Amino acid sequence: MIESAPRPPEGTGAALIEAGLKLFGKQGFSGTSTREIAALADTNVASIAYHFGSKDGLHTACAAEVARRLSAVATPSVPPDPTPDEARAILDSTLRALAGFLLTSPAATDVAPFILRLLGSGPDEAMTTLYASVIEPKHREFCRLWALATGQAPESESTRLAVFAAIGQLVYFRVGLPVVTRRMGWGRIGAAEAGAIADTVAANLHAAIERSRVP
Amino acid sequence: MIESAPRPPEGTGAALIEAGLKLFGKQGFSGTSTREIAALADTNVASIAYHFGSKDGLHTACAAEVARRLSAVATPSVPPDPTPDEARAILDSTLRALAGFLLTSPAATDVAPFILRLLGSGPDEAMTTLYASVIEPKHREFCRLWALATGQAPESESTRLAVFAAIGQLVYFRVGLPVVTRRMGWGRIGAAEAGAIADTVAANLHAAIERSRVP
DNA sequence: CAGTATTGATCAATCGTTTGATTAAATCAA
DNA sequence: TTGATTTAATCAAACGATTGATCAATACTG
């Protein structure tokens, strides 16, 4: 059963979710024991069953928390009737905000690996929830902005794929961060490194928009 | 038993690697039991210890097999002194070949999830091997081609990031395939769908090259 | 026969979950 | 305000099941 209303976390339950988010993301679901989670949350193993029913229940709760945090970001404020240039500027700033979150925010360091694990596990319940509540609506909104910026149809195949490609670059930099940092010779990701990545992605965004613009 | 399936490598060891590749990628390392692997490989559990020493040994062997398969792809034949347009054409065809492999090849359906798990597990030995033997050399070669196509420095920060972004789009489409197929309303990825994705990525590649070209 | 490969059985360790006891706060009756 | 009772939450301990690993015995092969 999925709780539709995301509640603000507090107490032992919240500590368990935070611990689960961190450990599930770092070691995977099967790779994390309930005792390990309880230890990190500084509570007893039985608390998991008490608050969430089971280990699976905790995992579902963690996915809901991820959806909650993701919704907090990437919510652009769109003026009522944006011009093409305005739409492009909104896409640019939203993409940069997303880059800052994914690459530097402490909240993302727990959230991002967790989502990565979800993706690899195929379409289970947690993934379906995350898709319906965050991914699909955001992607649809981006498609609308893309259409306004380029003049193309919002839900055409090329538009949807172009938006995926634009976001995909960013997601890849987060997913492949271990690879990227090694190749770039970076010790860790700071504001400067995140800025360089954001510039690259933003430049590609503008080039792609310019290219698919209809006269 | 089921022996009709085309199995290029032969012997129990090869069957174990193939089973490990499939199950490790699908369920993760900890999520896969040695008995499950042995059952899929149609052999005894003890065979794993006999051939690879331990479960970890089998996992390392699987990573080596992944590196072997990856090296087989994405090896562009570069003429001795390519013109900018030739370099761009090589990048284009290589990217399309990579798209075909990642999205449609049966070999990739086992390899790709395995690598994804590897990425999420941080910089361990298997990831280091894969990086040194495949990722780093390929990326460096792409950077050289990018430099030839745009006139920029091969190892500049912007070049390396641009190449990452170009490849990243493609990798994302593979990583986020469950999400993409759902949003696109695709049942599964066929030649047409892979072609549409390859066109999108290739279009972005050309736009990015055009944009960063120095006169 | 000698050497390689495979098998079924068994090991201690760890897994997720359940249990009954314990505590502190909330609720009720007089 | 009292004292009794209920409820929510946490705890240590133990449960059966499963894990990776091990080993002697067996089968295959040249």
Side-chain angles (χ1 to χ4, degrees):
Chain A
M1 190 86 82
I2 312 169
E3 296 188 9
S4 54
R7 46 166 182 192
E10 56 182 59
T12 305
L16 283 173
I17 288 181
E18 193 157 345
L21 218 52
K22 200 164 292 188
L23 293 176
F24 286 153
K26 200 175 297 179
Q27 316 169 359
F29 180 76
S30 324
T32 305
S33 70
T34 52
R35 288 166 178 84
E36 198 175 356
I37 298 173
L40 185 59
D42 199 33
T43 181
N44 191 271
V45 205
S47 300
I48 296 176
Y50 177 79
H51 285 278
F52 304 101
S54 65
K55 185 186 179 184
D56 276 279
L58 173 60
H59 186 257
T60 302
C62 287
E65 172 65 15
V66 164
R68 201 185 63 81
R69 293 191 189 179
L70 271 189
S71 293
V73 208
T75 54
S77 57
V78 184
D81 241 322
T83 66
D85 280 342
E86 279 177 344
R88 192 181 63 169
I90 295 173
L91 280 174
D92 181 281
S93 63
T94 306
L95 211 59
R96 287 180 184 276
L98 206 58
F101 171 75
L102 282 179
L103 298 173
T104 66
S105 166
T109 58
D110 294 344
V111 168
F114 186 90
I115 301 177
L116 181 60
R117 303 274 180 183
L118 273 187
L119 270 178
S121 306
D124 66 334
E125 192 199 3
M127 192 60 222
T128 303
T129 304
L130 191 65
Y131 176 83
S133 65
V134 180
I135 300 178
E136 212 266 359
K138 294 303 170 194
H139 187 273
R140 177 162 269 126
E141 190 168 7
F142 278 24
C143 283
R144 198 175 67 89
L145 287 168
W146 184 277
L148 287 170
T150 60
Q152 296 203 345
E155 286 294 317
S156 72
E157 182 179 272
S158 64
T159 295
R160 281 179 293 166
L161 284 179
V163 168
F164 265 131
I167 301 179
Q169 298 174 59
L170 197 53
V171 173
Y172 170 76
F173 274 110
R174 170 63 232 202
V175 168
L177 210 53
V179 170
V180 172
T181 52
R182 201 179 300 200
R183 176 73 173 104
M184 300 302 295
W186 292 341
R188 62 180 200 90
I189 297 290
E193 290 78 13
I197 291 179
D199 287 341
T200 301
V201 176
N204 283 341
L205 173 77
H206 290 168
I209 289 182
E210 206 63 36
R211 197 177 203 278
S212 30
R213 210 163 210 161
V214 290
Chain B
M1 268 290 117
I2 313 167
E3 295 291 341
S4 59
R7 190 183 302 174
E10 227 162 302
T12 306
L16 282 173
I17 288 182
E18 194 158 345
L21 218 52
K22 199 164 291 187
L23 292 176
F24 285 152
K26 200 176 296 179
Q27 316 168 1
F29 180 76
S30 332
T32 305
S33 70
T34 53
R35 287 166 177 82
E36 198 175 356
I37 298 173
L40 185 60
D42 198 34
T43 181
N44 194 274
V45 202
S47 300
I48 296 176
Y50 178 79
H51 285 277
F52 305 100
S54 66
K55 184 187 180 184
D56 276 279
L58 173 60
H59 186 258
T60 302
C62 287
E65 172 66 15
V66 164
R68 200 186 62 81
R69 293 191 190 179
L70 271 189
S71 293
V73 207
T75 53
S77 59
V78 184
D81 239 322
T83 67
D85 280 343
E86 280 176 343
R88 192 180 64 170
I90 294 172
L91 280 174
D92 181 281
S93 63
T94 305
L95 211 60
R96 288 181 183 274
L98 205 58
F101 170 75
L102 282 178
L103 298 173
T104 65
S105 166
T109 56
D110 294 343
V111 169
F114 187 89
I115 300 178
L116 182 60
R117 302 275 180 182
L118 229 51
L119 269 178
S121 305
D124 66 333
E125 192 198 1
M127 193 58 222
T128 302
T129 303
L130 191 66
Y131 175 83
S133 66
V134 180
I135 301 178
E136 212 265 1
K138 294 303 168 195
H139 186 274
R140 178 161 269 128
E141 191 168 5
F142 277 25
C143 284
R144 198 176 68 87
L145 286 169
W146 184 276
L148 286 171
T150 60
Q152 295 203 346
E155 287 294 316
S156 72
E157 182 179 273
S158 63
T159 296
R160 281 178 294 167
L161 285 178
V163 168
F164 265 131
I167 301 179
Q169 297 174 59
L170 198 51
V171 173
Y172 170 78
F173 274 110
R174 170 61 232 202
V175 168
L177 210 53
V179 170
V180 172
T181 52
R182 201 178 299 199
R183 176 70 172 107
M184 299 303 294
W186 292 342
R188 62 179 199 92
I189 297 291
E193 289 79 11
I197 291 179
D199 286 341
T200 301
V201 176
N204 282 341
L205 173 76
H206 290 169
I209 287 182
E210 206 64 36
R211 198 178 201 277
S212 32
R213 209 164 213 161
V214 289

